[in-house]
Amino acid sequence: PGRTAVELAAGSSTPVVPDCCKRRGVGLRELLRPRLPGGGTGDAPDLALLMVGTNDLLTFQRNAAFVGTAEISDAVRWLHEECHREGVRTVALAVPDIGGRCATPRTLRRRREVNAALATWARRGTDADADADAAPALRRPELVVNVGALLPYGPASRRRSCWEKDGVHWTEEGARSLGTRLAEKLRPLVQRLQAARAVRVLGDAMPLEDYLHALALSEELAEDGGFCCE
């Protein structure tokens, strides 16, 4: 917690990244190359969910150095592209809703700008400036999810005590509610990823009917038209 998208992008290859609570984590590239106890490298994850940007907006609000929305959007995109270069598919979780005293007109406008830029990039892919190091099918997120629509800072969610008093952080109930709704959005994608892994790992060992079903799902995953914005 406490890190901005700009900081995380700049430190994506850093082995150790401390957070604002002085806890030590690792940079994104290290997360994508899991270390085994014996010193080797394990399998990369199938999917990464990235949700960053709130701290960039609120850091600016606290009179820190100005960071433009284009710079924030570029940092978010860089984090996705780091995953894609490692062969890991991504889901882009838009900057969540902001409420309370933090929800100034300027902050809300900048949040909309960052989310709009993220959705536009994800729909169009990288086109002419595509990352040559990324696999062709991994040049944009699989999904863009509007987190603010899943859990808005509104009367209903506040009555259910989903938000902390600062209007930025979720309570345990809020996190549980968002997680349940997000899981439903991700279910079709996860099923396709599971099918693709089954075909890759089990192959001929699968019953024919199961194999054909899994193959159809994995081919659907490989199609470039599978992107959608929620």
Side-chain angles (χ1 to χ4, degrees):
R3 291 298 178 186
T4 66
V6 172
E7 290 172 335
L8 291 172
S12 61
S13 60
T14 305
V16 178
V17 179
D19 66 14
C20 65
C21 300
K22 298 182 180 180
R23 293 174 297 195
R24 292 160 61 90
V26 299
L28 178 60
R29 194 173 297 172
E30 289 292 315
L31 286 174
L32 299 174
R33 300 173 181 176
R35 303 292 178 181
L36 297 176
T41 302
D43 293 336
D46 293 309
L47 186 67
L49 278 61
L50 302 181
M51 185 175 69
V52 289
T54 298
N55 288 328
D56 298 82
L57 301 178
L58 299 183
T59 297
F60 165 70
Q61 185 169 285
R62 294 196 296 268
N63 297 319
F66 177 80
V67 177
T69 53
E71 186 176 353
I72 299 171
S73 302
D74 286 347
V76 176
R77 172 173 164 174
W78 172 264
L79 293 171
H80 282 273
E81 291 173 343
E82 278 282 77
C83 295
H84 299 163
R85 281 188 282 273
E86 295 295 328
V88 177
R89 298 177 185 273
T90 62
V91 169
L93 304 180
V95 180
D97 208 355
I98 298 172
R101 289 187 295 178
C102 292
T104 65
R106 192 171 198 179
T107 296
L108 295 180
R109 173 180 58 79
R110 284 161 53 81
R111 171 182 171 268
R112 289 192 297 269
E113 290 174 358
V114 171
N115 285 342
L118 177 61
T120 298
W121 163 65
R123 287 193 187 97
R124 295 177 179 173
T126 51
D127 297 331
D129 61 337
D131 185 348
D133 294 330
L138 299 183
R139 288 178 177 164
R140 59 180 180 176
E142 303 297 317
L143 296 171
V144 175
V145 179
N146 183 355
V147 177
L150 295 183
L151 188 64
Y153 185 84
S157 63
R158 295 202 300 276
R159 281 196 302 269
R160 291 172 45 227
S161 300
C162 290
W163 292 87
E164 298 284 1
K165 292 181 179 179
D166 61 9
V168 175
H169 297 95
W170 305 308
T171 62
E172 184 177 340
E173 174 60 30
R176 183 183 299 109
S177 178
L178 175 64
T180 299
R181 296 170 184 177
L182 180 59
E184 287 302 312
K185 292 288 185 184
L186 296 179
R187 187 185 303 276
L189 173 60
V190 171
Q191 289 174 338
R192 295 198 298 271
L193 285 169
Q194 289 174 330
R197 176 176 281 273
V199 170
R200 187 170 64 251
V201 174
L202 299 177
D204 295 340
M206 299 175 66
L208 179 59
E209 184 176 349
D210 292 344
Y211 174 80
L212 293 175
H213 178 66
L215 183 62
L217 287 175
S218 63
E219 288 175 346
E220 180 183 341
L221 180 67
E223 292 177 358
D224 196 38
F227 166 79
C228 74
C229 184
E230 296 288 353

